[in-house]
Amino acid sequence: MRGLLGFGMVAGGLVALLILPTACAAGLGARDGAHWFQSDPADLNTSGVPQLSRILAADGSTLATFFYQNRVDVPFDKIAPVARKAVLAIEDSRFYEHGALDSQGTLRALASNLGSGKVTQGGSGITQQYVKNLLLTQADNKDEAQAAKEISAARKIRELRFAVALEKKYSKDEILRRYLNIAYYGDGAYGIEAASKHYFNHPAAQLTLPEAATLAGVIRYPYAYDPTRYKERAKERRDVVLARMAQLGWISGPQQRAAAAEPLTLHLHETPSGCVVSKAPFFCDYVQREILTNPVFGETPKARERLLKRGGLTIHTTLDWQSQKAAQSAVDSHVPRKNSAHKAAAEAMVEPGTGEIKGMVVDRKLGSDRERGKTWINFAADADHGSSIGMQAGSTFKAFTLAAALENDLPFGTRLEAPRAFTPTGYRDCKGRNVSDPSHSLRNSADGEGGREFSLTTGTHHSVNTFFLALEREVGLCDTVKMAERLGMRQGNGKALEQFPSFTLGFNPVSPVRLAAAYAAFGARGRYCQPVAIRSITDAAGKKLKVPGAGCKQVMDKGVADAVNYVLKGVLTKGTARGMGIGRPAAGKTGTVDNFSAAWFAGYTPDLASAVWVGDPRGGYAHPMENLCMDGECYGAVFGATIPAPIWQDSMSGALEGRPAADFHEPPDHYFSKGTGEDRTKVPDVRGMKPSEAIARLRAAGFSVDMGGSVDSDQYERGTVADQSPGPGSSAEPGATVVIRVSKGKKKDKPGGQPTPPGFPPGIPPGQNPGQNPPGQNKPGRNGG
């Protein structure tokens, strides 16, 4: 009874408000009250109705949707006329005849409710219901939501005042359109478009009479009439709507009976929210985090989240499905999601010259890592785009030292000694501080190369650590660091790169997407673009929003980039990744991190760049990739060419299939002033010489020497060189090793035992390279190829 009394008082008060300006026009207070009531409220805001946002791939297909409320705003002509009539019939049949308040409807509802002893009819018309829904959806907290729902005269008067203002501001059609788009239709569907697609799997423009009546019936009590839960109850309500439409003469009797005879048939369609269900989950997550973390989309995190989940955004991205699918297939093939070794792989693909991210994959599903085969961490991205703090890059950083050397005009044939162990002295960082470490010794990786000279070309092809340490000292640590920074490199946690002598060996943790963007600059002839995933964004009203650009700029001379490409092409044909070509001009660099804790490959063509990481999410040093067996296949130690390069090869081949191949430009002539760096010279004939003479002669010609033991010889006297490999006059690369063997004399003259033949350098037994470490001491070093 208290509820009925309250309803009666409110209804009576509202009717009184309508006649108040006339009945009390003589009174000053009444006149002011009428003026207040009929003036436009300062706090009236019809914007901000939550609408779902969509992330689209480059071809316009949907990657994901985001929403607080599943709603899509549609124009009036996209709502079937029968749906409009059905809602009006059951909610406000005199909508086009009355103003903000239907006095007849209010009094009729009051009489009906008092007569029945319970609330059977509401007194609010469409405009007032729209206002109530609007205030509810705009509520930012529980208090505001409660104020929008409370049963009080104050709320009803405020709603009516807003309704009066809206009736002056908008046409009846526009108010009805807004109401249909804001109403809740149960089971998570907000607005008639989302409701039609959810329940019947087609847009609101295609609603039939029975379907329209079903949705109209749900509005008053969406939980009680939810057709997914209470199908019979929803059908009964539908038939009430049909009867009311016939009573009003809006449909014929036969139409009513035919529609009521139909069963309530649903074709449910779920609209998933978020990136977890996306076909490109980690790229989707990258886009989502870009919006949630970039101040260009809002001053606060809360404002940015509201924009994404309420703003009805259409987000056009750079994702290319061909590239994405090729990358996902490659990582899943080589490092399966639930592999027995618990290893992981990630890859990012970036277009040279634009910075557009064409693909981004992890060999996991997006989700909690408590379930095997899932992770929330996007290993392809930085911390601000996926929680990863990056991974040590290994020898992929040698490309930055190479670029710095070429920028300093060092020709390809520049040669430096690459000792087997290197003491890092003579280094200063960009602040001029001495960062040398004379107490530490850096070595080559497990390939054991070193102990001779290499050129820029061959040192890169073979990824010789000590050569690059010497080259970095030659060009300056700071120049190398600045080159990497110009190419967009920073640590995965967002901090600046750390500067120590082993910088060139890649101890800094970085992300695949930044490494791919850096290598893309080589493919774009020195034009660096920040990696971007968003092309454009429009809001619910079709207005374009500002989006971050790639900020492309020329960071090195084209000729320098051309020279880098020339050298890195050889890595795929003659170097650590030989055999990993993709049937078109391509270049790249392997990277193996210290103690086999991770492995990389970064490579590119003029059209596409990619960086691949393989490692262990549990920690690479705790779980190194040495003696690795995975799903029945054993690899021994994993280098950059072992798993990452084949992933790169497969993904790039698939991504570029069917697309014309572009070639790199020839480097400027001055880089060939000392040859190609691969120049071959004739090996001198040292047969018949004493070993010490032969060693001196070969070294003077630019070769290294190995002692290969002694051999019987009828031609050369005992203690002289009897054989050499490569043979005299052979063509070999400077710095290559020549093996010499010393004569033991004729078999019949050979004395008993095996003493060291005369002529050997003191202390060097046969079979050991002069200058080589004793057996067991030539251990693998840091971050090699």
PDB file of all heavy atoms in Angstrom, residues 398-409:
ATOM      1  N   LYS A 398      74.916  -7.064 -33.461  1.00  0.00           N
ATOM      2  CA  LYS A 398      76.138  -6.820 -34.240  1.00  0.00           C
ATOM      3  C   LYS A 398      75.832  -6.008 -35.494  1.00  0.00           C
ATOM      4  O   LYS A 398      76.712  -5.312 -36.008  1.00  0.00           O
ATOM      5  CB  LYS A 398      76.799  -8.147 -34.602  1.00  0.00           C
ATOM      6  CG  LYS A 398      77.417  -8.858 -33.404  1.00  0.00           C
ATOM      7  CD  LYS A 398      77.932 -10.248 -33.763  1.00  0.00           C
ATOM      8  CE  LYS A 398      78.499 -10.941 -32.525  1.00  0.00           C
ATOM      9  NZ  LYS A 398      78.869 -12.349 -32.789  1.00  0.00           N
ATOM     10  N   ALA A 399      74.593  -6.077 -35.965  1.00  0.00           N
ATOM     11  CA  ALA A 399      74.220  -5.290 -37.144  1.00  0.00           C
ATOM     12  C   ALA A 399      74.359  -3.798 -36.878  1.00  0.00           C
ATOM     13  O   ALA A 399      74.661  -3.015 -37.793  1.00  0.00           O
ATOM     14  CB  ALA A 399      72.783  -5.623 -37.552  1.00  0.00           C
ATOM     15  N   PHE A 400      74.145  -3.364 -35.643  1.00  0.00           N
ATOM     16  CA  PHE A 400      74.260  -1.934 -35.316  1.00  0.00           C
ATOM     17  C   PHE A 400      75.724  -1.494 -35.308  1.00  0.00           C
ATOM     18  O   PHE A 400      76.060  -0.385 -35.725  1.00  0.00           O
ATOM     19  CB  PHE A 400      73.600  -1.649 -33.968  1.00  0.00           C
ATOM     20  CG  PHE A 400      72.174  -2.121 -33.898  1.00  0.00           C
ATOM     21  CD1 PHE A 400      71.702  -2.823 -32.798  1.00  0.00           C
ATOM     22  CD2 PHE A 400      71.282  -1.883 -34.939  1.00  0.00           C
ATOM     23  CE1 PHE A 400      70.399  -3.269 -32.728  1.00  0.00           C
ATOM     24  CE2 PHE A 400      69.965  -2.326 -34.884  1.00  0.00           C
ATOM     25  CZ  PHE A 400      69.527  -3.026 -33.771  1.00  0.00           C
ATOM     26  N   THR A 401      76.608  -2.384 -34.848  1.00  0.00           N
ATOM     27  CA  THR A 401      78.045  -2.082 -34.903  1.00  0.00           C
ATOM     28  C   THR A 401      78.502  -2.038 -36.353  1.00  0.00           C
ATOM     29  O   THR A 401      79.283  -1.157 -36.746  1.00  0.00           O
ATOM     30  CB  THR A 401      78.838  -3.140 -34.125  1.00  0.00           C
ATOM     31  OG1 THR A 401      78.272  -3.299 -32.827  1.00  0.00           O
ATOM     32  CG2 THR A 401      80.298  -2.737 -33.996  1.00  0.00           C
ATOM     33  N   LEU A 402      78.029  -2.981 -37.160  1.00  0.00           N
ATOM     34  CA  LEU A 402      78.353  -2.989 -38.585  1.00  0.00           C
ATOM     35  C   LEU A 402      77.897  -1.689 -39.242  1.00  0.00           C
ATOM     36  O   LEU A 402      78.653  -1.058 -40.000  1.00  0.00           O
ATOM     37  CB  LEU A 402      77.690  -4.188 -39.259  1.00  0.00           C
ATOM     38  CG  LEU A 402      77.761  -4.240 -40.788  1.00  0.00           C
ATOM     39  CD1 LEU A 402      79.206  -4.421 -41.252  1.00  0.00           C
ATOM     40  CD2 LEU A 402      76.870  -5.357 -41.332  1.00  0.00           C
ATOM     41  N   ALA A 403      76.663  -1.265 -38.956  1.00  0.00           N
ATOM     42  CA  ALA A 403      76.134  -0.031 -39.547  1.00  0.00           C
ATOM     43  C   ALA A 403      76.958   1.179 -39.121  1.00  0.00           C
ATOM     44  O   ALA A 403      77.231   2.082 -39.924  1.00  0.00           O
ATOM     45  CB  ALA A 403      74.675   0.147 -39.147  1.00  0.00           C
ATOM     46  N   ALA A 404      77.362   1.223 -37.850  1.00  0.00           N
ATOM     47  CA  ALA A 404      78.182   2.337 -37.368  1.00  0.00           C
ATOM     48  C   ALA A 404      79.539   2.355 -38.062  1.00  0.00           C
ATOM     49  O   ALA A 404      80.053   3.423 -38.417  1.00  0.00           O
ATOM     50  CB  ALA A 404      78.360   2.233 -35.851  1.00  0.00           C
ATOM     51  N   ALA A 405      80.121   1.178 -38.287  1.00  0.00           N
ATOM     52  CA  ALA A 405      81.408   1.098 -38.976  1.00  0.00           C
ATOM     53  C   ALA A 405      81.286   1.572 -40.419  1.00  0.00           C
ATOM     54  O   ALA A 405      82.127   2.333 -40.922  1.00  0.00           O
ATOM     55  CB  ALA A 405      81.931  -0.335 -38.925  1.00  0.00           C
ATOM     56  N   LEU A 406      80.227   1.147 -41.093  1.00  0.00           N
ATOM     57  CA  LEU A 406      80.023   1.561 -42.484  1.00  0.00           C
ATOM     58  C   LEU A 406      79.708   3.051 -42.566  1.00  0.00           C
ATOM     59  O   LEU A 406      80.103   3.720 -43.524  1.00  0.00           O
ATOM     60  CB  LEU A 406      78.892   0.733 -43.106  1.00  0.00           C
ATOM     61  CG  LEU A 406      79.215  -0.763 -43.285  1.00  0.00           C
ATOM     62  CD1 LEU A 406      77.953  -1.554 -43.620  1.00  0.00           C
ATOM     63  CD2 LEU A 406      80.284  -0.955 -44.359  1.00  0.00           C
ATOM     64  N   GLU A 407      79.019   3.578 -41.579  1.00  0.00           N
ATOM     65  CA  GLU A 407      78.756   5.016 -41.555  1.00  0.00           C
ATOM     66  C   GLU A 407      80.044   5.809 -41.378  1.00  0.00           C
ATOM     67  O   GLU A 407      80.157   6.949 -41.844  1.00  0.00           O
ATOM     68  CB  GLU A 407      77.776   5.344 -40.433  1.00  0.00           C
ATOM     69  CG  GLU A 407      77.264   6.785 -40.472  1.00  0.00           C
ATOM     70  CD  GLU A 407      76.135   7.016 -39.500  1.00  0.00           C
ATOM     71  OE1 GLU A 407      76.383   6.933 -38.278  1.00  0.00           O
ATOM     72  OE2 GLU A 407      74.995   7.276 -39.946  1.00  0.00           O
ATOM     73  N   ASN A 408      81.022   5.193 -40.718  1.00  0.00           N
ATOM     74  CA  ASN A 408      82.348   5.811 -40.581  1.00  0.00           C
ATOM     75  C   ASN A 408      83.230   5.531 -41.790  1.00  0.00           C
ATOM     76  O   ASN A 408      84.445   5.747 -41.743  1.00  0.00           O
ATOM     77  CB  ASN A 408      83.038   5.305 -39.315  1.00  0.00           C
ATOM     78  CG  ASN A 408      82.471   5.920 -38.065  1.00  0.00           C
ATOM     79  OD1 ASN A 408      81.831   6.966 -38.120  1.00  0.00           O
ATOM     80  ND2 ASN A 408      82.683   5.274 -36.926  1.00  0.00           N
ATOM     81  N   ASP A 409      82.615   5.023 -42.864  1.00  0.00           N
ATOM     82  CA  ASP A 409      83.279   4.792 -44.147  1.00  0.00           C
ATOM     83  C   ASP A 409      84.348   3.714 -44.111  1.00  0.00           C
ATOM     84  O   ASP A 409      85.280   3.721 -44.925  1.00  0.00           O
ATOM     85  CB  ASP A 409      83.874   6.096 -44.704  1.00  0.00           C
ATOM     86  CG  ASP A 409      82.804   7.013 -45.259  1.00  0.00           C
ATOM     87  OD1 ASP A 409      81.757   6.492 -45.701  1.00  0.00           O
ATOM     88  OD2 ASP A 409      82.993   8.233 -45.233  1.00  0.00           O
TER      89      ASP A 409
END
